[in-house]
Amino acid sequence: MLTIIDLEGLGLDAGAHLVLNRALTGLPAGGRLAVVGGNQMLGVQLGAWCRSEGHGFDPADPPVVIKGTADDARARATQRAGSPSHVDERADAAWGLAARGALVEPGGPLLSVDWVDRDLVWADVAPRLYSRAAAEQWDPATAIDWASHADVPDEVEDAVVQIMTYLIENEQAALMLPARLLARLHPHFREVMQLFAVQIADEARHVEVFTRRALLSRDELGVSGAGGRASLQTLLDEPDFTLASFLLSVLGEGSFLDLLRFLNVHAPDPITATMTSLVGRDEARHVAFGVAHTAHAAKADARFLGRLRMAVERRHTALIDTAGLNKQVFDALVVLAAGSWETSAIAKGWRAVEELQKRMEDGRRHRLSLIGFPDDEAAELAALHTRNFM
Amino acid sequence: MSNRVLLGAVAYDSKVVTIWDGFRQWFRDRDLDFDYVLYSHYERQIEDLVEGHIDVAWHSPLAWVRTVRLARARSVGVRAVVMRDSDRDLVSAVLVRADSDLASLDDLRGRSVATGAIDSPQAHLLPLSMLREAGLRPDVDFKVSRFDVRVGLHGDHVGGERDAAVALRSGLVDAACMLDANTLLFSREGTLPAGSVRVLAKTEPFDHCTMAVGPGADKSTVDRFTALLLGMAYDDPTVRPLFDLEGLKQWLPARTDRYSALERAVDELGFLDAEGKLCADDYRP
């Protein structure tokens, strides 16, 4: 059967191929499409177009396009990159960077990523956490009233600067680690990718506000202890997705939630109070994903708890000869909670930091129980966590 | 029995390496010891094929015409085995600007016509032969503005035709000769905007590239090479990207009866003699 199409004045130099392709879509291979039209170049260009597309060409009057098989061959070889609303158990490296659910033309480069298995990266709460994260973004320039800086006694200000110095290096580790994980994750797990992207942006803001607070009335930062940096390096060195997420978010950032609450309660000025509150809200999301993902992985494979335990023990052993939290940071926390150098105030500050450490350990034990550890094991592992808090 | 096929190909573009590397792996996966060498122009590839230094050559139409003449002069046998589906029934056109006063070929008397490189079958040899047949002698009845870009590639490099198109658009010449497919390319890339040109005349359909087999090749091995080529399918995901680069959907059996217009053109324009000797003084590949 011969189908006829009239291109009128439209030429192949101005989009006539769209009309031809549409007409050919309905034809089987070998189907004939007669082409009439008034464009003067059509007589030369139609045959060339057919050659380039793999169609046959009959230079009759009117000329006829004979549908070739190339389009069908191309279509047969395509596959869906999963479905837009469903996360597959395993993503295919051949899907590459295609959107989840896209029709993927084969022949592209394989995506070089490490994590293609859902259970190694996923948590069902990830889409909701991402939505919350996107809605909770704040602007450091306006969310904090930088003009509200109150006069803080010099020695307490020194303590604030030391604590900010410590927080900045911890936030930098918390930025670099998800950035490393993100680059090795298959984008099929889009919500986890998006969540990590926002987490990285969160940490960038935290680095900014802590730096700005430290330099508010000082020209120099405090001390960076070798033991603290050694502790953070063990986080960056962890190559496994779930173990890294567990060590950073469940244990490290989890402990930081208590630290940020402590700093908020004892903040000597409204700026410090506001920023620790905002940062704490962000960190709570990071902890929520870490706990949910680790619990997901442990539920999918109960043997995973053994690997988590080994990771804590390995890190403890690696850090056994280091100082952990440097004494300047510990002392600064005491001074901050004391608020002055009166001996009774120092005693009160000391007790407050002891209580902080107890709360951190309780929190870790609670989260380890949520993941699936029995109570005694949760208590044992909570106590093995790095003395550097993160 | 030899299992080796050594192919010659002209490096008119860097993609040639990707294409033939890909084909080499494909053949080797099928136990054919295939390899290739690259030439910087067609003339040495033609001579090496006839001398038996390579088994087969991926030839331009002009390379095929010269190969046949050289082989005949040396009393050796050559044959063509496959061509791309896109090598059949090409057409070249003489274009003028859409608002030109030219209505027929005869109107070109005293005017100027841009062409591609001296060795381009589609943009120089065939259209000038058509004009000659219409009674218009090049550089006597009309002026030829030739754009020699990458001479020796037999017009595979599109630069000469593009320069001819630009000269037409700019009003430097009255007409320009080019391949039908390149009129599409030039409109897509903006060199010739839609509606800016029209066709004054077009050639009869002619065939383009072909896979030539030299006198030194082992027949049964080349037969297997040919069968494997003809069996390559666009469905095959390892083949498809290579086909897309090389511009085909399917290899077809070669046909050698559509080069007579080019034979006539090289004689009329004094490009080759009957024994395949290069005669054009200003041709230096």
Side-chain angles (χ1 to χ4, degrees), chain A residues 27-217:
Chain A
L27 297 183
R32 296 171 70 86
L33 178 70
V35 181
V36 295
N39 186 281
Q40 206 266 349
M41 293 293 288
L42 198 60
V44 160
Q45 294 184 329
L46 187 58
W49 181 79
C50 287
R51 283 201 313 277
S52 71
E53 299 299 308
H55 299 306
F57 179 66
D58 178 354
D61 185 21
V64 175
V65 178
I66 304 154
K67 186 174 176 179
T69 57
D71 289 344
D72 290 343
R74 205 177 270 279
R76 269 198 303 278
T78 56
Q79 59 165 323
R80 289 272 171 201
S83 125
S85 56
H86 176 75
V87 179
D88 280 14
E89 275 184 35
R90 194 176 173 84
D92 191 337
W95 295 343
L97 293 166
R100 192 161 75 207
L103 193 60
V104 182
E105 208 178 80
L110 292 179
L111 190 63
S112 175
V113 287
D114 295 325
W115 295 302
V116 296
D117 291 300
R118 182 190 60 196
D119 290 341
L120 297 183
V121 298
W122 186 251
D124 290 337
V125 76
R128 268 179 291 140
L129 278 178
Y130 168 67
S131 301
R132 212 174 96 194
E136 286 179 355
Q137 294 299 291
W138 45 274
D139 178 358
T142 55
I144 296 167
D145 180 6
W146 295 98
S148 67
H149 183 49
D151 280 338
V152 176
D154 269 356
E155 284 151 333
V156 177
E157 182 67 13
D158 287 344
V160 171
V161 171
Q162 178 57 59
I163 292 165
M164 294 297 146
T165 305
Y166 161 79
L167 290 175
I168 292 164
E169 69 185 30
N170 279 269
E171 296 291 359
Q172 287 178 164
L175 186 156
M176 289 178 70
L177 185 54
R180 290 181 178 193
L181 300 182
L182 176 59
R184 298 166 57 201
L185 172 71
H186 197 298
H188 180 73
F189 309 108
R190 184 185 70 220
E191 292 84 350
V192 176
M193 177 179 75
Q194 291 168 305
L195 191 60
F196 272 25
V198 180
Q199 186 167 330
I200 291 163
D202 288 343
E203 308 298 8
R205 273 198 317 277
H206 302 171
V207 169
E208 178 190 341
V209 297
F210 291 146
T211 304
R212 194 162 167 182
R213 175 63 189 88
L215 297 175
L216 210 54
S217 54

Side-chain angles (χ1 to χ4, degrees), chain A residues 221-245:
Chain A
L221 294 178
V223 174
S224 164
R229 292 203 312 280
S231 177
L232 294 175
Q233 186 62 46
T234 60
L235 282 181
L236 296 184
D237 290 344
E238 176 53 63
D240 182 272
F241 184 97
T242 303
L243 297 184
S245 175

